[in-house]
Amino acid sequence: VDAEMVFDLRMLPNPYFDPDLRPLSGKDQRVAEYVLGSEPGKGFYARLQEFIENTLPLFEQEGRYRLTIGIGCTGGRHRSVAVAEALFNTLKKLDYAVTIEHRHMDLG
């Protein structure tokens, strides 16, 4: 409800359909590689990262120092978690104060 940006990742390859990856989450390296290592995943993440990196300074110029980015997929366990973790790490490296919350990862 309070997110300034929301991204739907249902177009990326879904680890749920791989029996070996299904019980894991996007925090697991194998799942992250499955999602972000695919051509659709690489392309999407590169564009997302570029968009966010270019947009954050504009929000700052307008006096907005808190921004919520929602990232979702079908189950909230694999794709959205992998991309959210990658974005979290990218923003930390850029010295932004960031937090992360996976609201649906453990719902099963």
Side-chain angles (χ1 to χ4, degrees):
V1 172
D2 296 325
E4 282 77 23
M5 298 179 201
V6 178
F7 298 94
D8 181 345
L9 305 183
R10 290 177 291 177
M11 76 295 203
L12 297 181
N14 193 348
Y16 176 85
F17 296 110
D18 182 325
D20 293 331
L21 299 178
R22 183 178 298 168
L24 305 176
S25 79
K27 287 187 168 196
D28 292 289
Q29 187 64 32
R30 289 174 45 211
V31 172
E33 288 172 2
Y34 183 95
V35 174
L36 296 167
S38 68
E39 286 306 314
K42 284 181 198 174
F44 174 81
Y45 187 74
R47 288 171 183 83
L48 175 66
Q49 180 180 343
E50 180 182 15
F51 174 74
I52 297 297
E53 286 181 21
N54 285 304
T55 304
L56 290 181
L58 299 174
F59 276 99
E60 286 182 65
Q61 287 174 7
E62 291 299 317
R64 299 290 308 263
Y65 296 102
R66 184 179 177 99
L67 180 75
T68 300
I69 302 170
I71 301 175
C73 61
T74 305
R77 181 171 180 77
H78 298 105
R79 295 169 288 187
S80 60
V81 173
V83 171
E85 289 286 331
L87 187 58
F88 173 82
N89 290 323
T90 295
L91 295 175
K92 273 184 80 166
K93 288 177 187 170
L94 294 172
D95 209 28
Y96 283 100
V98 293
T99 60
I100 191 167
E101 176 186 357
H102 300 294
R103 295 183 354 181
H104 300 119
M105 188 172 71
D106 295 322
L107 292 181

